[in-house]
Amino acid sequence: MTAGGEETVRDGRPVAERRLHLVTPLRRAWAPVAVLAGWAVHDPGQAQRQLTRLTTTTLLIGLAVLVPAAALYGFLSWWFTRFAVTDTELRIRTGLLFRRTAHIRLERIQAVDVTRPLLARVAGVAKLKLDVIGTDKKDELAFLGEEEARVLRAELLARAAGFAPESAHEVGEAPARELVRVPARVIAVSLLLTGAVWGSLVAAVVVPPLLWLATDSLWTVLAAAVPLFGGAVTSSAGRFVASYGWTVSESPDGLRTDRGLLDRAHETVPPGRVQTVRIVEPLLWRRLGWVRVELDVAGSSDSVLLPVAPREVAESVVARVLPGTTVPPAASLTRPPRRARWCLPMWWRGHGIAVTDAVFAARHGILCRRLALVPHAKVQSVRLSQGPWERARRVADLRVDTGANKTVTARLRDAGEAAELLRVQAERSRTGRRTARPDRWMA
C-alpha cells in the first residue's frame, strides 16, 4: 500500500514507490528564502527600511528561525514526494499541504529529457523532464542519481515505444550516432553577428545614464539597469554557455540534442511529432551561409534543433527530421504579384511560397528570413483570408494551421492562385495523413 492508501500494482504484484535522491531537500529548502528575496526585489525601498530597523540580535534570531524552517520544509517536501512505474502509467505524488498525484499514461509520453545543472553534476544527480501529449507543463523528477535517471529514462522510452513491461528493462538505452557538432567558435561568432545581442548591449549601456540625468534617482536607475544588464548577459554570454558543446545525434527514439557548458541538457525530438520546421537566416549570417533550425512539436513548446550551422548541414538534418523532404531552394520560391506592394510596401519582396510532394513551404522577412516547412500530413486546417484592401488589389492570404496550435501564412498571393492552393492543399493533407509514418518511438 502507498502513503496515499492506494495500491500500486505491476504484473499483478504491488510495486514499491520510490523517493527522489537525498540531495533533493537541499534544493527545495531554498523556497522560503526565495520568497523573501522576491519580496525584497519587488519593493526594495521597503526592504531597505525594514533592514535598517533590525538589530544584530534580531537578525541572528531571524536566521536561527529561518534556516531550520527552510531545512524542515525541504525535508518534508522530499518525504512526501514519491513515484512508481506501473503496467500502464508513471505515478508521481507530490505536495506538502496540498497533495497532487499525476497519472502519466506511458503511451502518451513523447519525450523524456535529462538535465544536469552544475551543482547537480557535482553531486552526481540529474533531473528528468517528461513531455506528455496533451499537456503544456512538463512534469519532472528532480533529482535522481545519474545512473537511476538513465535507467528510468530508457525504461520509459521503451514503454512509450510499445515494449511490454517485462521486456522494457532489457531494452536499455537506444544507441546514438552523432550527426552534427557545433564548434564553440562558430557559436561565438554567430552571437556577435546577431542584432538582438548588440541591441541589448547598447540599451544596457545607454539607458541607465539617460535615466540618471532625467530623474536623479538611484533606485530608478537600478530598477532599469539590473534587468537591462541581465538581458544583455543572457542574450550574449548566457546563450553561449547554454549552446556550448551542442551536438545532434540520431537514435531509434528520435534525434537527440546535448548542450550546455555549466548546465548540461539532453533532449529528444520524437519522430512523427514535429509539426513545422523553420530555417532562420539572419542578415549578417548570409555571407557565411549559416542558418538556424527551429521546430514546432505537438504538445510542446518551440525548440531549437541547431543554433547555427552551414545551410547544407542544416538541410541534411532537416531531412532526418522530415524523411523524404528536400528544402526548396530560394530560386524556386514564387513571390507575390507586383500589385501586392501596395498592401505591404517593400516588405512584400520577402514573402514567397513553394509546394512540393512532401511539404508546404512559406517564407517571410527581408532582414531576417524565415522559411517554414509544414509536412502535408501535419496540416490540420487550411483557411483563406482577404481584407478589403487586399480585395481591391486582388490578393489574399492562405493560412495553414498545424497540430502545434501554430499557423504558417502565405501572404499576398494572387486571389485565383490562393483559391487553387486552398483546394490542392486540403487534398494533399488528406492523402498525406493516410501515408504518414507512425508516431510511436522505435517503430
Side-chain angles (χ1 to χ4, degrees):
M1 300 293 291
T2 66
E6 298 181 14
E7 189 176 40
T8 303
V9 178
R10 182 173 184 174
D11 294 334
R13 303 185 304 274
V15 176
E17 292 187 331
R18 292 181 278 175
R19 289 193 175 92
L20 303 175
H21 196 276
L22 289 173
V23 304
T24 305
L26 298 177
R27 166 184 176 258
R28 297 185 173 180
W30 285 99
V33 180
V35 171
L36 292 177
W39 168 74
V41 172
H42 177 71
D43 193 353
Q46 180 67 17
Q48 185 185 28
R49 287 191 293 270
Q50 293 295 336
L51 287 175
T52 55
R53 296 175 184 174
L54 298 178
T55 64
T56 303
T57 302
T58 305
L59 286 174
L60 292 176
I61 293 175
L63 290 175
V65 173
L66 179 61
V67 172
L72 179 62
Y73 172 82
F75 173 79
L76 292 178
S77 297
W78 167 78
W79 181 263
F80 287 105
T81 300
R82 304 181 182 186
F83 70 95
V85 182
T86 70
D87 285 346
T88 59
E89 65 185 16
L90 170 65
R91 186 175 300 166
I92 305 175
R93 303 181 188 275
T94 58
L96 176 57
L97 299 178
F98 302 96
R99 299 307 302 268
R100 172 180 177 270
T101 302
H103 298 265
I104 303 172
R105 302 287 299 181
L106 296 176
E107 70 272 11
R108 303 284 292 176
I109 295 176
Q110 70 171 4
V112 183
D113 304 328
V114 180
T115 58
R116 294 183 296 160
L118 179 59
L119 294 179
R121 292 167 63 186
V122 174
V125 296
K127 178 192 301 184
L128 281 188
K129 290 186 176 181
L130 298 102
D131 200 348
V132 183
I133 300 173
T135 60
D136 295 330
K137 183 180 179 180
K138 291 186 178 182
D139 286 282
E140 65 178 30
L141 294 173
F143 289 93
L144 301 171
E146 289 186 351
E147 179 63 20
E148 182 182 10
R150 186 187 64 80
V151 172
L152 180 59
R153 177 184 181 276
E155 179 182 357
L156 293 176
L157 290 179
R159 294 293 304 278
F163 286 91
E166 58 273 9
S167 60
H169 292 283
E170 304 172 1
V171 174
E173 188 171 14
R177 180 175 64 89
E178 184 177 300
L179 297 177
V180 182
R181 179 179 293 272
V182 184
R185 178 186 61 82
V186 173
I187 295 174
V189 174
S190 70
L191 292 175
L192 293 176
L193 297 178
T194 301
V197 172
W198 287 104
S200 61
L201 290 174
V202 170
V205 172
V206 173
V207 172
L210 293 178
L211 286 176
W212 174 258
L213 294 175
T215 64
D216 200 27
S217 171
L218 178 61
W219 288 111
T220 301
V221 172
L222 289 178
V226 170
L228 284 174
F229 276 102
V233 171
T234 301
S235 64
S236 54
R239 287 177 59 181
F240 175 80
V241 170
S243 303
Y244 183 86
W246 194 295
T247 61
V248 179
S249 304
E250 186 179 39
S251 72
D253 56 16
L255 290 184
R256 299 179 184 175
T257 60
D258 292 273
R259 65 183 187 276
L261 177 60
L262 302 179
D263 299 348
R264 294 294 296 175
H266 174 99
E267 298 182 355
T268 302
V269 179
R273 301 293 298 172
V274 176
Q275 306 294 304
T276 307
V277 176
R278 285 187 302 277
I279 299 178
V280 183
E281 191 178 15
L283 176 64
L284 298 179
W285 290 14
R286 295 176 197 170
R287 190 176 185 86
L288 299 173
W290 291 350
V291 298
R292 180 171 69 250
V293 180
E294 301 174 349
L295 303 177
D296 290 339
V297 181
S300 182
S301 58
D302 298 350
S303 61
V304 176
L305 181 61
L306 272 175
V308 56
R311 189 177 186 90
E312 59 273 13
V313 174
E315 291 182 358
S316 68
V317 174
V318 170
R320 301 284 184 176
V321 178
L322 305 176
T325 297
T326 301
V327 178
S332 68
L333 299 175
T334 59
R335 287 181 178 178
R338 288 188 61 84
R339 61 180 180 276
R341 69 184 184 275
W342 299 106
C343 299
L344 197 64
M346 188 176 69
W347 298 103
W348 70 277
R349 295 178 177 274
H351 292 277
I353 67 165
V355 181
T356 70
D357 292 338
V359 296
F360 175 88
R363 189 189 71 183
H364 72 276
I366 293 180
L367 299 180
C368 182
R369 296 173 181 168
R370 297 176 182 271
L371 177 65
L373 307 174
V374 182
H376 297 307
K378 303 303 180 183
V379 175
Q380 300 295 309
S381 62
V382 188
R383 297 174 289 132
L384 189 147
S385 62
Q386 190 180 39
W389 189 247
E390 292 178 327
R391 284 198 297 270
R393 298 297 167 182
R394 304 189 310 280
V395 295
D397 298 339
L398 184 70
R399 304 180 186 275
V400 174
D401 302 318
T402 70
N405 294 325
K406 299 293 181 66
T407 300
V408 174
T409 304
R411 298 260 354 242
L412 305 175
R413 310 310 304 176
D414 177 82
E417 177 196 7
E420 179 64 15
L421 281 172
L422 178 70
R423 184 190 64 81
V424 173
Q425 186 57 50
E427 181 60 29
R428 285 183 180 273
S429 301
R430 283 192 292 269
T431 57
R433 281 191 289 270
R434 289 198 293 266
T435 59
R437 298 175 62 202
D439 287 353
R440 298 301 294 271
W441 288 352
M442 306 181 193

